[in-house]
Amino acid sequence: MSFRLVVGLGNPGSEYVSTRHNIGFRVLDAFADNRGAEPWKKERSFKGELTSMVDDAFGKVILLKPQTYMNDSGRCVQKVCSYYKIPPEEMAVVYDELNLELGEVKISLAGSAGGHNGVADILSRIAPRFARVRVGIGQKPLKEMALADYVLSKFSSDEETIVAASMERYVDSLVRLLRDGPEMAMNHINRKKKNDDSNSI
């Protein structure tokens, strides 16, 4: 399976840059920098920011950051997929995951939106046959805290340290998915980390 489109989910605007909900944007930015992608360009017709790269490891890939706000992410994704004739199975989506601890990442090929409105909107507009790169942000600290308040809150300084230390692993997960395919990537990324290899990626 080859991938032609990678989508990072988040909200546009400077006020959202460091929020938990924008980790998908941050991972995609880091991935683009790491692999030497072209500069990002705003495409009004798609309501998104796009760039592309041609990589020796996995060929040409389009990167997309929807600028429609999270709950309407699927509209932008649908437009790009339709224009470039990209089927769902050739797309990967990077987004924040409540059910994974901060610093963790997992890859999957199926499943529900799990309460994530951006993923839910994509699922409502295209077939569910796309890869998911789920980046952990951890559970709410208090059960009574509104979910929207939590995902739109900013990481603490200690949490930012974890995010920075984990970014290489996030990027590596995406590289492995595109280069090796979902099965091999899942076998490597989704396994439980051992105490003696916590620093290896």
Side-chain angles (χ1 to χ4, degrees):
M1 177 187 294
S2 61
F3 290 90
R4 297 169 56 200
L5 174 65
V6 181
V7 182
L9 297 187
N11 285 304
S14 58
E15 66 269 36
Y16 297 109
V17 168
S18 299
T19 61
R20 301 170 198 277
H21 227 15
N22 270 43
I23 194 70
F25 275 10
R26 292 176 69 175
V27 171
L28 210 59
D29 282 335
F31 176 75
D33 289 343
N34 177 269
R35 308 305 287 193
E38 297 293 323
W40 290 96
K41 292 182 179 180
K42 290 186 178 181
E43 297 288 352
R44 285 183 150 186
S45 58
F46 297 137
K47 299 186 182 298
E49 288 189 5
L50 283 84
T51 184
S52 64
M53 66 176 74
V54 178
D55 195 285
D56 291 340
F58 43 76
K60 183 175 181 179
V61 178
I62 297 169
L63 307 182
L64 170 66
K65 294 188 295 185
Q67 301 295 296
T68 52
Y69 290 97
M70 185 67 79
N71 294 3
D72 205 19
S73 298
R75 182 155 56 102
C76 172
V77 172
Q78 186 181 43
K79 285 177 180 289
V80 171
C81 287
S82 176
Y83 181 83
Y84 289 103
K85 296 179 170 55
I86 299 173
E89 55 267 25
E90 294 181 8
M91 178 179 78
V93 180
V94 186
Y95 61 94
D96 53 295
E97 173 59 71
L98 285 164
N99 294 317
L100 291 176
E101 292 182 11
L102 187 66
E104 290 298 302
V105 59
K106 283 194 175 181
I107 295 171
S108 61
L109 287 176
S112 68
H116 194 289
N117 290 339
V119 178
D121 194 58
I122 294 172
L123 287 169
S124 74
R125 297 173 188 269
I126 66 173
R129 301 185 303 273
F130 56 88
R132 285 89 156 155
V133 181
R134 296 153 45 218
V135 181
I137 60 169
Q139 292 281 354
K140 297 183 296 180
L142 300 171
K143 288 185 178 180
E144 59 268 25
M145 185 179 189
L147 179 59
D149 290 341
Y150 177 64
V151 298
L152 294 178
S153 66
K154 296 187 176 182
F155 291 111
S156 68
S157 59
D158 287 344
E159 289 172 329
E160 280 289 355
T161 299
I162 296 174
V163 171
S166 303
M167 192 58 70
E168 187 177 355
R169 183 165 184 252
Y170 302 152
V171 171
D172 177 72
S173 299
L174 194 45
V175 171
R176 287 180 181 274
L177 174 64
L178 300 181
R179 183 190 66 202
D180 302 333
E183 287 77 17
M184 289 183 64
M186 286 189 289
N187 287 339
H188 181 87
I189 299 301
N190 296 358
R191 69 187 183 189
K192 293 287 185 181
K193 292 196 299 182
K194 298 178 182 178
N195 292 332
D196 60 357
D197 73 350
S198 59
N199 293 322
S200 64
I201 58 173

